[in-house]
Amino acid sequence: MSTRVKVGTLFLNNSTGFAVAGGAATGESTTPWATRDANWTPQAPKPLAVWGGGPPFVAGRTLAYQSYDDVTEQIPLFLDATSHDDAANELQLLRTEVLRTVTGESTILEIKPDGATNSMYANIKTGWLQEETILESPVGGALRMRATLTIIRTPFFGRLSTGETLINALAFKNTGTGSPSNVRAFSAGVGDLIYEGSPLNCAIVLPAASAGPPAFITKVWVASIYSRTYSTTFSGTKTTSDTADGDVIGSSVSVSLTDALSKNLSARFMARLASASANAQFRVQVTMGPVIYTGPWVDNVGTATQLLDLGGFSLREIIRRSKGLTAPTMSVQFYIRSVSGSVSGNVTYGEVLLYYTFCELNLTQAAESSPGLLLDTFAEQTSVPCLPFQSERVITVSGTSFADIVRKKGRLPRYVSGASLYLAWMDDVTGDHTTTEQATATVTHAPLWKTFRGGA
Amino acid sequence: MTLLSDIGITIPLFGRGAAGVPSTTLAVADLAGRCDSYEHTIAARGGFESMRTGFKADLDEAIDIFNTWLGRSTVVSSPDAMTIWEGILAGISVTLGQRRRSISLDKLSNRLRCRYTDENGTTAVTSPTSNSASIALYGTKDAVVSASNITATQASGIAARALSQWKTPQQQPDTQITTGNLGDVSVDLLFRGWYWTLGWVVTSRTSTTTTATGTQIGALIATSGVGIGVTNPFLSTSTFNIGTTGRSPSEFIPPETAYQEKIEQLVSEGDGTDRWVLMCLENRELHFRKWAGATPDTIHYVANLGTHQVFTPQGRVVEPWDVRPDTMYQEVDLLTPAPVAGYDDATRQYVERVVCTVSNSRIGVTLEPQASDSLDVLLRGIS
């Protein structure tokens, strides 16, 4: 037995342990190829780090951002052939297989170490094959040629065809309380990026809007969160004519930030209104002693029920392990002001999200029929590796074909171990946020591995 | 994925609306996934000023982009779904090996007049001559050419000939044919903020009535009366963020004066004591307010020499793309024990412009101070 190394349709290792001169490379037991190094393993992708700060002003630097580049892989090979022409033919087959990507789909690299349960898959972006010598000492009468296959492939390996399901057609209700609510925990995911954030495909079937036109949901918020604090203490009614700094509406709420000591989180503030005057604006102010964040003034949408995104900020650096500050909290307060004249607003509840990613989607078509709204981040079709697309997008799907591109702002949700999915929506043309509406979401995850996959 | 898309910056491209009016029809969902770099500038004079980004492409795609993308628009959002820049695609450069081709809206003009003097020395101006097809694509962009000692008929002819040349965006080729590596195929996009379009249209006003500065600015961006919105309804007409200076200059506008010129003249008056700034920001709304340098003790951003980050004075991280001009910035490690008065001491500066850069090797922001504190510049209210 040996490690399975397969490029497209060609096996580069014979399952019997011996290459077959003149055999078909498309068969795992008949291939004339063999890896020269029996212990060959794929390269792990090196992080591409962007550093900040450091000497001469302070010892050590800060990791500002990190990503991964493609991997250049060298696979040393033997080719057993019956003749020169046979060898040349096999070389050509492998060369053309690697470069299908130029006019077709990426060639798939499959690796399954000897004894492993599962194969892992990467996409080959380009490559070249260089033979080194011709006609080594004959082995059993065959000709042996050394060659090196160099490929440039995707940074990670993935599984084939389907992601792992983390949320399976579960109902989400458009409110922050009760069961179901607008939050569902992800099932435990696998892979090497579960603490860095790995891609999710979300298929969301939205309800019809209860008012219109248009009679469909036009705004969706989706986030990968650590926690959500729902509170009716935020609620209150206020009338004001202040066009400057505004007036307090409702009461402030204290939110624990203890978990932000050990996690890289941001805070987001959502306000649910039962009604608001046309010229009213709302914002949030956050204090930890002094004011640490004042959000932008946000226009209300119509005069009826609505959910407003009041913005947010990163908790990095401001929450850190300072002596004695083991249980930090912040106080959150909503404000209302007027654009002109006397205005009023009625807040019914507020939500504070501690999140990893947050996104706003703006729809121009309904997404009420399965699969509905698709957050499209990795490939998920039969016989295709589940690997991230070069750019994420959001689309509405009608049946099995593409219907419309949805405008997104922010980052689509990613799987982080222990996180949950937050989903909220409204018709933001007329202003309609209905807390009894339900949507259905199915979330699949693309586990990604840097080298071996194991049994996952 | 590129660093840009991994960070979560989104760069959508919207289709060109009829007559250049900003559209919300998505043409490209997100360019960030293929961009190699991103840079935007935001200035206290004008707000969203410029944005550059670029990516590699194949030949067919590069040619298609070169031919069809000019005039599209974008609203760039941060990883936290906040708008960080918006504007119009004003220039495209494609590198095709050794060849480089650029095209831009800079020299485009689709409505021309000729201001001339006849043989008697009498000054006149021709009626505007325009190209409807160009206006339907890009909106109206005026130009005024000058000539002397000619007849009215000759002046009309000059305007017509200029129009025939300038009605389509002009290419600037840069061709080398030489030995050496041919290079690759890449596309560079230059976007400009919507404030720039205030310089597209000329106007005049005979009224010499004195009217509050903010009221005049509101009238000049409106979609009725003297407003530029009658011709090019690109900007928001909201006046909520247009402050009151207490000054009431004359409404008079000399003939063939660009809206931008008149508005900046109004802005330069300030409130008689302090400078005021005018910026076109989110949702294409104008913000007209007293400059932050009027209260130099109110610090908006601080930084330490040993870190790469910008913070609020309370210690909250401000991401590079969220940093704004017309703010006060302080380098806390340079603070001296004794208080120092004035806005230009070594520890703090007024931020006139910010330049945010994101690339594979660098992510950061440059906070540019006022370029000059000469009296002339201060009086004109520009840097």
Side-chain angles (χ1 to χ4, degrees), chain B residues 130 155 158 200 209 232 241 247 250 257 330 375:
Chain B
S130 60
I158 289 171
W200 285 21
T209 304
N232 286 344
N241 294 304
R247 308 278 285 183
S250 169
T257 299
Q330 187 157 51
L375 183 61

Side-chain angles (χ1 to χ4, degrees), chain A residues 72-322:
Chain A
T72 300
E73 201 84 77
Q74 286 204 321
I75 309 174
L77 299 166
F78 282 126
L79 170 63
D80 284 358
T82 56
S83 66
H84 266 295
D85 288 352
D86 178 42
N89 188 53
E90 293 298 334
L91 291 171
Q92 185 187 43
L93 281 175
L94 183 53
R95 284 197 175 101
T96 54
E97 194 72 9
V98 165
L99 289 174
R100 282 179 187 271
T101 55
V102 177
T103 56
E105 209 168 12
S106 294
T107 302
I108 298 172
L109 172 69
E110 178 186 352
I111 296 176
K112 185 180 178 185
D114 186 17
T117 306
N118 295 310
S119 286
M120 56 198 200
Y121 304 86
N123 282 332
I124 296 173
K125 298 190 177 182
T126 190
W128 59 96
L129 178 66
Q130 176 63 60
E131 63 276 19
E132 294 174 14
T133 56
I134 301 177
L135 303 178
E136 276 197 345
S137 303
V139 177
L143 307 171
R144 173 159 285 184
M145 175 182 295
R146 288 173 179 248
T148 300
L149 177 65
T150 305
I151 56 171
I152 298 176
R153 62 163 175 84
T154 49
F156 309 112
F157 293 93
R159 44 196 263 175
L160 203 66
S161 302
T162 55
E164 63 173 345
T165 302
L166 301 185
I167 293 176
N168 191 3
L170 294 181
F172 284 73
K173 207 167 183 184
N174 203 14
T175 178
T177 188
S179 180
S181 70
N182 53 16
V183 170
R184 290 278 194 178
F186 294 125
S187 302
V190 298
D192 289 346
L193 296 189
I194 61 172
Y195 296 110
E196 295 174 70
S198 39
L200 299 173
N201 283 345
C202 305
I204 302 168
V205 180
L206 295 167
S210 28
F216 61 87
I217 301 299
T218 53
K219 182 165 282 186
V220 177
W221 294 277
V222 60
S224 182
I225 66 170
Y226 175 76
S227 69
R228 186 258 282 117
T229 299
Y230 164 93
S231 178
T232 54
T233 304
F234 286 114
S235 64
T237 302
K238 182 72 182 177
T239 300
T240 184
S241 300
D242 190 324
T243 58
D245 293 329
D247 290 326
V248 163
I249 181 169
S251 301
S252 65
V253 172
S254 178
V255 178
S256 169
L257 296 176
T258 303
D259 293 305
L261 287 168
S262 58
K263 292 177 175 46
N264 192 349
L265 298 169
S266 298
R268 199 80 180 197
F269 309 95
M270 311 292 286
R272 203 268 178 177
L273 311 180
S275 63
S277 301
N279 284 332
Q281 291 182 327
F282 299 83
R283 78 172 175 189
V284 65
Q285 196 167 76
V286 180
T287 55
M288 289 182 67
V291 173
I292 60 166
Y293 177 72
T294 301
W297 285 106
V298 175
D299 292 328
N300 75 82
V301 180
T303 56
T305 60
Q306 53 199 277
L307 187 67
L308 295 184
D309 168 17
L310 299 183
F313 64 98
S314 170
L315 294 167
R316 271 178 18 242
E317 295 295 333
I318 199 164
I319 301 298
R320 60 191 198 181
R321 294 196 179 273
S322 306

Side-chain angles (χ1 to χ4, degrees), chain A residues 65 268 292 316 337 355, chain B residues 80 240 309 316 319 363:
Chain A
Y65 300 97
R268 199 80 180 197
I292 60 166
R316 271 178 18 242
R337 79 171 180 183
Y355 70 92
Chain B
D80 298 303
F240 182 72
Q309 291 164 317
R316 182 170 60 78
E319 301 291 357
I363 298 163

Side-chain angles (χ1 to χ4, degrees), chain B residues 52 56 58 67 74-75 93-94 110 120 136 148 152 163 233 291 367:
Chain B
R52 285 181 185 277
K56 302 283 191 291
D58 66 35
N67 288 329
T74 187
V75 179
S93 290
V94 296
N110 50 34
N120 298 319
S148 53
L163 177 67
W291 76 314
L367 290 78

